[in-house]
Amino acid sequence: MKFMIVGKANAETEAGALPSQELVDNMHAYNEALTKAGVLLAAEGLYPSSQGAQIAYSGGRATVIDGPFAEAKELIAGFWLIQVKSREEAIEWAMRVPVPQGYDGIGLDVWRVFDASDVPDESLPAGEREREQALRERLGADTPGT
């Protein structure tokens, strides 16, 4: 099972403030523990929403809305993608995330990632699972460092 642990933004991350060296060291140690356990698939921090955009749809038309966006507590500052045996294990790993000062009341989200293997074979059109697997293998081969 794949899960995404989502770290929420706050006023500091939205302002583009860099984390303290202590937090960076703690995050490296956490990421190293995930790696040693063989569960880490990806981990990334995100730039502030001022450098992003949202796409809104209305009447079949798309509109681009440039950041920054209003509610920092509803924005994402970073994420970890992990592969574990259960929801409980994902939550255990999320509980170990080093949380910096100033994050009271913000928290993390733990979401299960939908995977093509979650769909029963009989509900997929012929060849669809193989096509999905081939795409994932090609993406993995094209990823630097793999």
Side-chain angles (χ1 to χ4, degrees):
M1 297 178 173
K2 293 179 187 172
F3 285 85
M4 181 176 280
I5 302 169
V6 178
K8 302 289 187 85
N10 68 4
E12 288 183 26
T13 60
E14 276 298 286
L18 295 176
S20 68
Q21 187 60 50
E22 178 184 12
L23 180 58
V24 169
D25 293 343
N26 291 342
M27 286 292 183
H28 281 298
Y30 175 70
N31 291 343
E32 185 64 30
L34 288 166
T35 302
K36 284 182 181 176
V39 300
L40 183 63
L41 300 174
E44 302 293 341
L46 301 176
Y47 280 93
S49 68
S50 61
Q51 296 191 35
Q54 293 179 339
I55 311 298
Y57 296 94
S58 178
R61 298 191 64 203
T63 303
V64 176
I65 304 164
D66 290 324
F69 307 113
E71 289 292 323
K73 66 182 180 182
E74 295 177 9
L75 299 174
I76 298 170
F79 67 90
W80 293 264
L81 185 61
I82 60 174
Q83 188 160 14
V84 293
K85 293 182 177 76
S86 67
R87 176 180 178 269
E88 292 72 25
E89 185 181 356
I91 291 170
E92 287 174 19
W93 279 109
M95 296 290 288
R96 294 175 57 185
V97 170
V99 179
Q101 295 293 325
Y103 270 73
D104 294 345
I106 296 176
L108 299 167
D109 290 338
V110 180
W111 295 31
R112 186 164 177 197
V113 176
F114 193 90
D115 190 271
S117 65
D118 296 328
V119 180
D121 282 335
E122 60 274 4
S123 67
L124 288 175
E128 186 61 31
R129 186 172 308 281
E130 292 80 10
R131 208 170 87 195
E132 173 74 17
Q133 182 61 36
L135 174 62
R136 288 182 184 273
E137 287 172 5
R138 215 171 56 236
L139 287 172
D142 292 342
T143 303
T146 60

